[in-house]
Amino acid sequence: MAQQLISDFALSDSQIEQFNENGYIGPFDVYEPEEMERNLQALRPKLINTKTSIYRQSAAVSGTTNLANYDRHLDVDFLADHITRPEIVGPVTSLIGSDALCWRSEFFPKYPGDEGTDWHQADNFSNVAGSKYPQIVWPEDAEFGGTITVWTAFTDATVENGCLQFIPGSHKTMNYDESKVMDYDADSINKKEKDGVRRGFFGYDYRQLQKDPNWSPDESKAVSLEMRKGQCIIFWSTLMHASHPHSGLTDQMRLGFAARYLPTSVRVYPYSDALAEFGGEASLEKFGNVLVSGKDEYGHNRFVDRTVTGRPFVTR
């Protein structure tokens, strides 16, 4: 079988127009369900074993999202291959250009009974950074900010087990001020209710960042993005997004994997040598961006060409 190219998965003009209008597009098939299930079974032991992870946290953490879930594509072979798959890089480069990097990945597990993730937007990702410095900085003449997120369902994602929710078109206006401070409280996880729905933000209260304290999202416009395992959805981080609670109707967790992409013109961690989020802190000493397509003509970002275990990254 001929090797697949990113051009095989390029978005059409109408798809790009749809993305620009709504802030998201998909879902797209990345793996067949049986293939994803096999990959997940092989992946589980590696996720538990963090010995090769690039981050060593200086504090104990609580909850399902923390620094231990970050950037495992830098030490796990399957994830290293995943972030460079043509089914993903093709659509991404259609949206941000042929010179593209992956700067972050995160796991988002949701266990039976877990709360939903509250509505939020992220522009420069200083929102949860302890330093409050922007983690990504676009060129001054850029028309927009944020990052492209590719969220892949490693298990089926349904309303009942906590699938994503979007408010289409909401990426055009930022409703939050990321320079404000959110208070981290691990004890609040899974213990808050907002408008009759169990919702939180991994120990933070995202409403503390609202520009207008009396504003609330128009949930009448929200759409729920159910996906089968092996599919992905692509969206701007500046899009209003959330997730449903896991109802606990099954004993199976919902697992999503988010990889985040930028043009190489964007500066990544220009002010930071460590991450301080979710009650933990970790050095960026071993961090590096991955060039997933094209080339880097700017020279202001650090790159790695292989995982810490020696697996080369594919540049499309």
Side-chain angles (χ1 to χ4, degrees):
M1 190 173 80
Q3 183 177 5
Q4 292 178 310
L5 306 173
I6 60 174
S7 57
D8 296 331
F9 301 95
L11 299 180
S12 65
D13 290 344
S14 62
Q15 286 177 311
I16 294 172
E17 183 179 351
Q18 178 186 343
F19 178 85
N20 291 337
E21 178 63 27
N22 293 330
Y24 71 94
I25 193 160
F28 299 104
D29 295 344
V30 183
Y31 308 94
E32 291 300 319
E34 298 78 12
E35 181 186 9
M36 185 72 254
E37 183 61 32
R38 288 195 304 271
N39 288 326
L40 181 58
Q41 293 306 318
L43 186 61
R44 285 179 190 273
K46 297 175 183 176
L47 299 185
I48 296 171
N49 179 8
T50 59
K51 287 183 180 179
T52 56
S53 172
I54 67 165
Y55 298 124
R56 292 290 181 265
Q57 299 190 155
S58 61
V61 293
S62 303
T64 56
T65 293
N66 54 55
L67 296 180
N69 287 323
Y70 275 22
D71 296 342
R72 296 303 306 275
H73 66 277
L74 295 176
D75 75 292
V76 176
D77 289 355
F78 170 72
L79 300 177
D81 295 342
H82 171 81
I83 66 164
T84 67
R85 284 182 71 100
E87 297 94 333
I88 291 174
V89 178
V92 166
T93 52
S94 296
L95 299 170
I96 61 174
S98 59
D99 300 329
L101 61 82
C102 177
W103 68 285
R104 175 179 284 182
S105 69
E106 299 168 59
F107 273 102
F108 289 102
K110 198 172 289 292
Y111 296 94
D114 275 355
E115 65 190 3
T117 303
D118 205 0
W119 290 105
H120 61 287
Q121 296 170 294
D123 183 1
N124 60 35
F125 287 78
S126 63
N127 49 3
V128 295
S131 66
K132 297 310 294 181
Y133 287 125
Q135 295 185 348
I136 58 174
V137 178
W138 283 71
E140 290 185 5
D141 58 352
E143 296 180 14
F144 37 67
T147 188
I148 294 285
T149 298
V150 180
W151 197 100
T152 304
F154 278 21
T155 64
D156 291 339
T158 65
V159 170
E160 288 73 24
N161 74 3
C163 73
L164 292 173
Q165 294 176 279
F166 295 150
I167 298 180
S170 56
H171 61 300
K172 300 172 185 178
T173 303
M174 277 295 293
N175 299 288
Y176 303 94
D177 178 357
E178 291 178 298
S179 68
K180 291 185 175 182
V181 174
M182 287 191 296
D183 300 315
Y184 181 72
D185 177 14
D187 292 335
S188 70
I189 297 173
N190 286 329
K191 294 178 183 176
K192 286 195 173 183
E193 212 172 86
K194 298 176 184 177
D195 301 321
V197 180
R198 290 186 304 106
R199 279 195 183 133
F201 194 74
F202 316 112
Y204 294 98
D205 185 346
Y206 214 87
R207 293 177 298 178
Q208 290 181 312
L209 301 186
Q210 287 182 197
K211 293 179 179 179
D212 176 2
N214 298 315
W215 170 86
S216 59
D218 184 359
E219 296 195 46
S220 68
K221 297 179 179 177
V223 296
S224 298
L225 272 298
E226 293 193 316
M227 289 187 279
R228 68 153 177 81
K229 66 183 76 173
Q231 290 186 315
C232 77
I233 194 85
I234 302 172
F235 63 96
W236 276 122
S237 61
T238 48
L239 182 72
M240 288 289 300
H241 56 290
S243 68
H244 290 280
H246 192 313
S247 64
L249 295 179
T250 74
D251 61 359
Q252 300 297 310
M253 76 166 174
R254 182 225 72 184
L255 185 62
F257 180 73
R260 306 188 189 277
Y261 298 85
L262 292 166
T264 54
S265 59
V266 178
R267 296 177 184 270
V268 179
Y269 299 128
Y271 309 112
S272 306
D273 55 15
L275 294 176
E277 304 175 9
F278 306 111
E281 185 169 337
S283 169
L284 286 167
E285 179 184 0
K286 295 182 179 179
F287 168 81
N289 298 283
V290 176
L291 186 68
V292 297
S293 176
K295 53 192 175 182
D296 171 42
E297 296 183 332
Y298 296 90
H300 53 221
N301 286 320
R302 189 193 326 170
F303 287 87
V304 292
D305 62 2
R306 62 194 62 238
T307 68
V308 295
T309 56
R311 178 79 156 207
F313 291 108
V314 177
T315 301
R316 301 291 174 181

